[in-house]
Amino acid sequence: MKNGRRWPDHGADKGRETMTKIAFIGLGNMGGGMAANQAKAGHAVAAFDLSAQALERAVAAGCVAAGSVAEAVKNAEVVITMLPAGPHVLKVYSEQIIGAAPSTALLLDCSTIDVETARKVAGLAKSAGYAFADAPVSGGTAAADAGTLAFMVGCDEGDFARVEAALEPMSRITIRAGDHGAGQAAKICNNMLLGISMLGTCEAVALAEKLGLDPERFFEIASKSSGQCWSVTSYYPWPGPVPTAPSNRDYQGGFATAMMLKDLKLAQDAAAKCGASTPLGAQAEALYALFDGIGHGGRDFSAMLQMLRGKLDELSPA
């Protein structure tokens, strides 16, 4: 570890860690893969979700199904939550985790929520004697399944070593962003940047095509010149150049437009509260809201290319 950064070893030693009792709450598209990696690392994972199907998948991956949040956390050394939004996080922690989990348990919320709620939950947890961290993730479902997520952590500095050790089976890199709420701040800003850069990439690809330039040839150029960015080199919205990109799967899987829209709304709400000027973030929110509103919220956000091309008819039915 150096300066709050760590690149864990995902080799053979990863499965040799001391077994830890982990409660994992929230087994959706992201949480399911994350819980599975904790079980794969040799930990005892008590898992809970309102979805019976999600619980079945977790059990198949080596977790033990719990009948409630309270049952999952009662003997936990680490509690990890991956929930849809701030109100869910506040309700689950205030009503079902704090007081039910041992006071020695480390509480980690990996949901993406607003900074204010993250700090409120941290305050409730600290008042009850718990160590708590907001630890939202970047990397999408593929990284959740592979155990290669990036974690942005907000916690007390003295708790960080314990936090990164708990996250290691799911992590490619873990960075302490600062005190409580800083992890959420980092995630919101990062995803606003990602949403804007993907729109810029989509616009450039659509323009290249209109000008008679082969979009695959444009990839060769942009990926090696000043237009290079993650949206180009790792997630190109045109099929072909990046085989793992959702553009090769009719924009299925990956990072849903509705989830990007959620993060952009969080960014705009945060900007309004602190007086920051984010005109490109506001425009990005409006465009993703339009795409979501016409029925494509479940598609990967790089499918925005087809709307900008005027080729929505090329998308298969949702």
Side-chain angles (χ1 to χ4, degrees), residues 28-30 33 139-147 149 235 249 253-255:
N29 292 336
M30 296 291 292
T141 55
D145 292 341
L149 291 165
Y235 223 75
R249 306 186 300 272
F255 188 48

Side-chain angles (χ1 to χ4, degrees), residues 129-153:
Y130 294 92
F132 175 86
D134 50 290
V137 305
S138 178
T141 55
D145 292 341
T148 56
L149 291 165
F151 287 85
M152 296 156 253
V153 178

